[in-house]
């Protein structure tokens, strides 16, 4: 059930990983692209990066993800950055990122640690990025 939910709400995240998603959709599953106005009014931006690797590459993928997480946790505007592995499906990970705003996410996406590590991760397995925004009231 979670698998269907996660794959059904794919949105592009940072510029360097935009190719990881095959479609743009909001939480309701409707095809859409966030406009500049909605990005400016977001209270925070949450990215769920789904990363499924085979057992042969799990150790390398985990090591790279840990490097990315450690470096990203010091980025300005980072609220949360962590990774979880499925308890029932080894090699199925979700990296959770929460950002203060779009400029913080853009800076992170252009950082040397991001532009170096993410392509190495994608060489092992594709990342599927889902985007959620909490709007200001």
């Amino acid at each position: 059930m979670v698998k269907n939910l996660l794959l059904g709400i794919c949105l592009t995240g940072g510029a360097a990983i935009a190719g990881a998603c095959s479609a743009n959709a909001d939480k309701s599953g409707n095809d859409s692209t966030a406009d500049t106005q909605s990005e400016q009014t977001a209270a925070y931006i949450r990215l769920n990066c789904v990363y499924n690797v085979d057992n042969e590459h799990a150790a390398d993928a985990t090591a790279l993800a840990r490097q990315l997480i450690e470096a990203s946790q010091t980025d300005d505007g980072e609220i949360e950055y962590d990774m979880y592995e499925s308890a029932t499906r080894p090699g199925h990970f979700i990296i959770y990122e929460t950002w203060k705003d779009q400029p913080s996410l853009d800076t992170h996406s252009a950082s040397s640690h991001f532009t170096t590590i993410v392509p190495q991760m994608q060489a092992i397995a594709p990342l599927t990025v889902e985007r959620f925004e909490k709007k200001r009231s």
Side-chain angles (χ1 to χ4, degrees), residues 36-45 99-102 131-136:
T36 304
Q37 182 179 9
S38 70
E39 290 174 352
Q40 292 173 348
T41 60
Y44 64 81
I45 299 167
W99 296 95
K100 176 179 79 168
D101 53 23
Q102 188 62 45
R131 180 185 177 115
F132 304 87
E133 292 184 13
K134 167 86 169 131
K135 302 293 182 191
R136 290 192 171 108

Side-chain angles (χ1 to χ4, degrees), residues 26-89:
D26 61 21
K27 288 194 297 184
S28 66
N30 297 324
D31 189 24
S32 67
T33 301
D35 61 19
T36 304
Q37 182 179 9
S38 70
E39 290 174 352
Q40 292 173 348
T41 60
Y44 64 81
I45 299 167
R46 175 63 167 242
L47 300 179
N48 296 341
C49 305
V50 179
Y51 192 45
N52 298 318
V53 299
D54 59 37
N55 287 337
E56 178 183 342
H57 297 102
D60 291 337
T62 302
L64 286 167
R66 287 180 192 271
Q67 290 174 24
L68 178 63
I69 292 162
E70 185 176 312
S72 299
Q73 287 176 333
T74 63
D75 288 347
D76 288 338
E78 178 269 337
I79 297 170
E80 180 181 16
Y81 209 108
D82 208 344
M83 179 175 71
Y84 301 93
E85 183 174 17
S86 171
T88 59
R89 296 179 301 160

